[in-house]
Amino acid sequence: MESWIEYLNDIVEYEVRWNIYKTVLIILILWLIKKGAYKLIGIGKEKDLKRVYHWRKTIQYSIAFIGLLLIGNIWISNFQSITTFLGLLSAGIAIALKDIFVNIAGWIFIYWKKPFDVGDRIQIGEFKGDVVDLRLMQFSILEVGNWVDAEQSTGRIVHVPNGKVFMDAQANYSQGFDYIWNEQHINISLDSDYKKAQVLLKELLNDMFKPDFKSIEIALRRAQKEHFISFSQFTPTVYAKIHERGIQLSLRYLCNPRKRRVFEHKVTEAILDTFKGEKDIRIVYPITSIYLEKGMGEGNTKA
């Protein structure tokens, strides 16, 4: 009896050792295949980061899936029966792990319908930023805005569950058309020569954005073919209206969403330099004055 037990133990130990060897060999082969595939997709002078990123993700998931099947078949004698059993349990698992399955469905939706891609600037719900990673359960964005003005980067990485694509509306700054309309407002006094101010501002904007007119026109034509996007004009313009602070001039122009703050800075500097020498154009802004009355105690003020 003891010899029979020892014989069985030897067989079991042999099978376990052999299974370990096969598992290590499969892992090594799959690792070499992955490294070789990574080198293949990186070959060439073209540096298409999006293409390389998507190929790397496809290779990772494919290798993991193949490895699971091969190693599972080694260690589980009746692997097919177990997969059938798991299939029967899928309904119960789906209810218990609803959020996980919703996130996986969201990941499939993102890759299939492509509402956004890596490198796109998007807003989904309260989150806004540049997409830097797409994973099975969540995607990551480099946050912009929040406490930082003009939609510049905060430096934070925000991880958003993929299921958000089914619940929240998404705004894509980069899809369809690569530019956004930006507006800046400036107020001048009612006695200012507003027509002259409009002419000066239009000349200022046209000089600043003229180098981009050709690329904007090409992007607009491409967008009109892919989407129902149509603008009556794409060149900068200046609108005027009566405002409680005088005459409000609104400067409207197309710009790259990632350069919005840079253009706002340049336009503001140009406006100040241009209006500085114009005696008949006066910029107005709200101010508060405090007058000190004689006879009042120190620190007492009257507005």
Side-chain angles (χ1 to χ4, degrees):
M1 184 68 179
E2 291 180 359
S3 61
W4 176 249
I5 292 173
E6 288 178 2
Y7 174 73
L8 289 176
N9 288 335
D10 290 339
I11 293 176
V12 170
E13 288 179 4
Y14 173 78
E15 288 183 354
V16 170
R17 285 199 303 270
W18 181 236
N19 286 344
I20 291 173
Y21 296 150
K22 287 191 289 185
T23 301
V24 171
L25 182 62
I26 288 172
I27 292 173
L28 179 61
I29 292 173
L30 291 176
W31 181 80
L32 291 173
I33 291 173
K34 185 177 79 169
K35 290 297 181 183
Y38 280 178
K39 287 188 177 181
L40 284 176
I41 63 173
I43 290 175
K45 297 180 179 179
E46 180 189 2
K47 294 183 179 179
D48 189 345
L49 295 179
K50 280 188 181 181
R51 181 184 65 84
V52 172
Y53 171 85
H54 287 305
W55 271 110
R56 286 177 68 93
K57 286 293 182 182
T58 302
I59 291 167
Q60 285 178 6
Y61 289 125
S62 300
I63 292 292
F65 180 71
I66 293 170
L68 178 64
L69 291 179
L70 294 176
I71 294 173
N73 198 36
I74 290 173
W75 288 99
I76 302 173
S77 59
N78 200 356
F79 191 66
Q80 292 181 346
S81 298
I82 289 179
T83 54
T84 304
F85 175 70
L86 291 176
L88 294 174
L89 286 178
S90 61
I93 294 173
I95 294 172
L97 305 175
K98 181 184 71 173
D99 291 340
I100 292 177
F101 283 97
V102 168
N103 288 333
I104 294 173
W107 174 74
I108 295 171
F109 176 79
I110 291 169
Y111 268 93
W112 177 38
K113 296 297 290 183
K114 288 199 177 293
F116 52 82
D117 204 348
V118 175
D120 289 355
R121 175 163 293 187
I122 67 167
Q123 179 173 354
I124 177 166
E126 60 184 297
F127 307 108
K128 184 189 300 182
D130 300 320
V131 181
V132 294
D133 194 16
L134 299 174
R135 295 188 180 181
L136 187 63
M137 302 303 296
Q138 61 190 13
F139 60 92
S140 304
I141 61 175
L142 181 61
E143 185 185 39
V144 299
N146 206 327
W147 68 86
V148 179
D149 292 333
E151 296 185 351
Q152 284 199 303
S153 175
T154 65
R156 297 195 308 183
I157 298 291
V158 180
H159 304 291
V160 185
N162 291 334
K164 278 278 187 182
V165 297
F166 299 127
M167 294 176 280
D168 294 330
Q170 303 116 50
N172 195 320
Y173 290 61
S174 309
Q175 193 177 71
F177 191 52
D178 298 329
Y179 298 86
I180 60 170
W181 284 104
N182 192 37
E183 286 195 4
Q184 287 181 244
H185 307 291
I186 184 170
N187 296 311
I188 61 175
S189 61
L190 288 170
D191 58 352
S192 295
D193 188 346
Y194 77 92
K195 288 189 176 180
K196 180 181 179 182
Q198 277 186 298
V199 171
L200 291 173
L201 290 174
K202 282 183 181 179
E203 290 176 353
L204 179 156
L205 291 175
N206 284 326
D207 289 341
M208 186 175 295
F209 291 97
K210 193 173 183 179
D212 296 327
F213 285 171
K214 191 66 178 175
S215 58
I216 290 174
E217 186 177 6
I218 293 171
L220 184 57
R221 286 177 183 170
R222 185 173 62 249
Q224 287 173 339
K225 292 178 181 178
E226 297 177 0
H227 305 276
F228 190 68
I229 297 177
S230 180
F231 298 137
S232 57
Q233 68 175 68
F234 60 86
T235 53
T237 188
V238 179
Y239 296 103
K241 75 173 182 179
I242 299 295
H243 194 264
E244 60 183 0
R245 295 175 185 168
I247 301 173
Q248 185 182 79
L249 299 176
S250 299
L251 294 72
R252 181 173 167 83
Y253 54 86
L254 282 167
C255 70
N256 186 302
R258 290 177 175 83
K259 296 180 180 178
R260 181 180 165 195
R261 189 166 200 176
V262 174
F263 283 123
E264 284 187 352
H265 171 71
K266 289 182 178 180
V267 169
T268 301
E269 282 190 331
I271 290 172
L272 295 174
D273 293 339
T274 301
F275 284 178
K276 190 182 293 184
E278 302 297 331
K279 304 224 178 192
D280 52 354
I281 300 175
R282 188 162 60 92
I283 299 175
V284 294
Y285 48 90
I287 59 172
T288 301
S289 299
I290 299 176
Y291 300 94
L292 298 176
E293 288 188 354
K294 291 181 181 180
M296 296 181 67
E298 185 177 353
N300 292 328
T301 62
K302 182 179 179 180

